[in-house]
Amino acid sequence: VLGSTTSFTTLIVGVFVVYVLHTCWVMYGIVYTKPCENPKLENCINPYLAGKPRLQLSIYTALRPNADGGHTLIHEEEDFDVETKFERIVNVSLPKKTCKNGTLYAMVFLHQAGMSPWQDPRQVHLVSQLTTYMIPKPPEVSLISGEEATQPKGGDPAVDRPVSHWRSRLTLNVVSEDFIFDRDFLPSDVHRYLRVFQNGKKRVYLPLLFVDELSNRVKDLMEINSTSTELPLTISYDTISLGKLRFWIHMQDAVYSLQQFGFTEKDADEIKGIFVETNLYFLALTFFVAAFHLLFDFLAFKHDISFWKQKKSMVGMSSKAVLWRCFSTIVIFMYLFDEQTSLLVLIPAGVGSMIEVWKVKKAFKIQVIWKGVKPTFIFGKSDESERRTVEYDTLAMKYLSYLLYPMSLILSLMVSFLTGVYAFGFLFMLPQLFVNYKFIFVHPQAFNTFIDDIFAFIITMPTSHRLACFRDDVVFLVYLYQRWLYPVDKTRMNEYGLSYNEEEKPKGKSHKD
């Protein structure tokens, strides 16, 4: 049995390692682009920006993405420096069609200075939608009068339909590095942004212009109505590396695909927040910490189940701590479910709750006999050693009650029931340490590892649950001290009346009760 268990664990760890390595290889393939080793070769594509041309940035608005029907210039950067980032706020006049639940597009041109972008053969341009459709926020209610806030003119609160909203941010990027592409290894994701022309014997690509759609967040949207004649637009520009550009293209395409499958603007916004508000290195750390956390959760559950599956006696184990842990784990799981916490937190909490219920059944030797649809519970009897453990457990609870009762009174007056569950969950870990102290030996325990502390700050979860992740660290340190103080006693009889070495004396350090 031990061999098969070890083989299964090895298999799971092996699959996990292969998955992580494959993910790293895929990410490396996204951010790394093979350059052309010899710029003089015919298959090399050289950057236009290497010649330091004078450029100009022009931004127009239009009712259609192809500018059919007219366009309006809203901003110009005449001496555009690729290396200099900036942010400008411009007021954009809205056409009547846009005010009447219509759309509006931005046409961004990067072209030669002093030349019209519509006549420049070496211009690059992108089109971005400045409006999006979304169901408006419900009307605010005054807490004093209880009346609804005044609806804007043209709005109909009775009709629950999407209306046009203004995207108040336009984020632009240009790849500033003089990267030389190899035509034989040209990335497919960059290909659609690449415009190449022949300059003598050389092939040259124009600047890689990119509109960052991931920066368009729901919090920046403004509802458009018939009275909206002019709205502000924040134009931001910064350089971007080729590796980040490729990564951003993949993420932007993924969000677009989700929207095509029915994701709303709000649903997509939550995904955008993961990438926009998080540093890429921190994002990579999040992935690895979350992956290792799930692996350690699995190994902890497996160890916990194996330990309790083989256990036939509750000698040296605090049954009250097991019972409370079951109760608190279920309450915490329901709380996390209600808060719509990340599945990375919710799923392990649910599995842990089921395991805790099973442990209670084992600890109290409960047998469930079904008579039709009515269950009957039968509790097993305890032997002398188990009754002695119960005595120590009761004594520990007596000492704990001196702290528990005053704390209950304080928590009932100051904080919620859930906070009490988190606090008492910490206190109910202590009886097991007291039982260990009285028996002068330590039972194997499953504790959260210190990677949980990192996980708590990275993954989105309620603050109370985040703080609770640190409570195990204190008990874990005491547990490690007890492991050192009370090593394995090979002469101690187990529940079957057997010992590892009947002649060897225990080496545990004695103490006075």
Side-chain angles (χ1 to χ4, degrees), residues 117-387:
W118 305 97
Q119 299 173 351
D120 186 3
R122 295 182 180 175
Q123 54 83 17
V124 289
H125 76 277
L126 291 175
V127 178
S128 177
Q129 194 169 336
L130 292 176
T131 58
T132 185
Y133 287 97
M134 192 177 70
I135 297 176
K137 295 180 180 179
E140 297 179 355
V141 178
S142 172
L143 297 177
I144 299 176
S145 63
E147 297 179 354
E148 294 184 355
T150 304
Q151 288 288 326
K153 295 180 181 179
D156 186 4
V159 180
D160 188 15
R161 60 183 178 86
V163 298
S164 186
H165 283 68
W166 177 254
R167 288 177 170 171
S168 60
R169 296 193 67 87
L170 180 64
T171 305
L172 309 175
N173 302 111
V174 172
V175 177
S176 59
E177 57 188 287
D178 295 334
F179 188 86
I180 302 176
F181 286 100
D182 190 330
R183 187 170 55 181
D184 296 333
F185 298 96
L186 191 62
S188 58
D189 44 42
V190 178
H191 189 272
R192 67 176 182 264
Y193 290 91
L194 207 64
R195 285 198 60 198
V196 181
F197 67 93
Q198 196 75 29
N199 185 15
K201 294 184 179 180
K202 287 185 178 181
R203 293 175 64 85
V204 180
Y205 69 91
L206 293 171
L208 289 172
L209 177 64
F210 179 69
V211 177
D212 185 3
E213 300 285 353
L214 294 179
S215 297
N216 293 328
R217 305 298 306 280
V218 169
K219 63 183 179 182
D220 298 323
L221 294 179
M222 304 170 65
E223 185 178 344
I224 301 175
N225 52 66
S226 58
T227 61
S228 302
T229 57
E230 197 175 73
L231 289 175
L233 177 66
T234 302
I235 303 172
S236 302
Y237 167 78
D238 198 359
T239 58
I240 189 172
S241 65
L242 179 60
K244 185 176 180 180
L245 172 68
R246 294 188 59 196
F247 180 77
W248 237 233
I249 291 173
H250 280 272
M251 296 304 104
Q252 199 159 283
D253 289 347
V255 172
Y256 177 77
S257 298
L258 292 175
Q259 289 178 314
Q260 295 299 110
F261 278 107
F263 273 55
T264 64
E265 187 78 26
K266 291 183 179 179
D267 296 331
D269 186 70
E270 295 181 4
I271 301 174
K272 290 179 182 179
I274 298 175
F275 303 105
V276 176
E277 298 177 354
T278 308
N279 182 278
L280 287 181
Y281 295 104
F282 188 75
L283 192 63
L285 177 64
T286 301
F287 165 76
F288 284 110
V289 169
F292 277 100
H293 185 271
L294 290 177
L295 175 65
F296 291 159
D297 271 341
F298 169 78
L299 295 177
F301 290 151
K302 176 183 169 298
H303 175 268
D304 213 15
I305 293 173
S306 299
F307 172 74
W308 281 87
K309 191 174 182 181
Q310 298 173 5
K311 192 163 187 60
K312 305 299 181 182
S313 171
M314 280 298 290
V315 176
M317 296 292 292
S318 173
S319 57
K320 292 183 176 63
V322 174
L323 184 61
W324 172 260
R325 188 174 182 85
C326 175
F327 170 73
S328 61
T329 303
I330 293 174
V331 172
I332 291 171
F333 170 71
M334 292 189 294
Y335 167 68
L336 295 175
F337 181 80
D338 183 64
E339 289 290 315
Q340 298 181 346
T341 309
S342 169
L343 291 178
L344 291 173
V345 180
L346 188 62
I347 293 177
V351 175
S353 299
M354 292 187 289
I355 293 176
E356 292 299 328
V357 172
W358 173 73
K359 284 162 62 175
V360 168
K361 179 178 177 295
K362 292 279 293 184
F364 290 90
K365 301 178 181 178
I366 302 174
Q367 292 183 350
V368 182
I369 300 177
W370 292 89
K371 297 180 179 179
V373 294
K374 182 180 179 182
T376 302
F377 299 94
I378 300 176
F379 293 84
K381 296 182 179 180
S382 303
D383 56 24
E384 183 62 32
S385 298
E386 289 178 322
R387 284 193 289 270

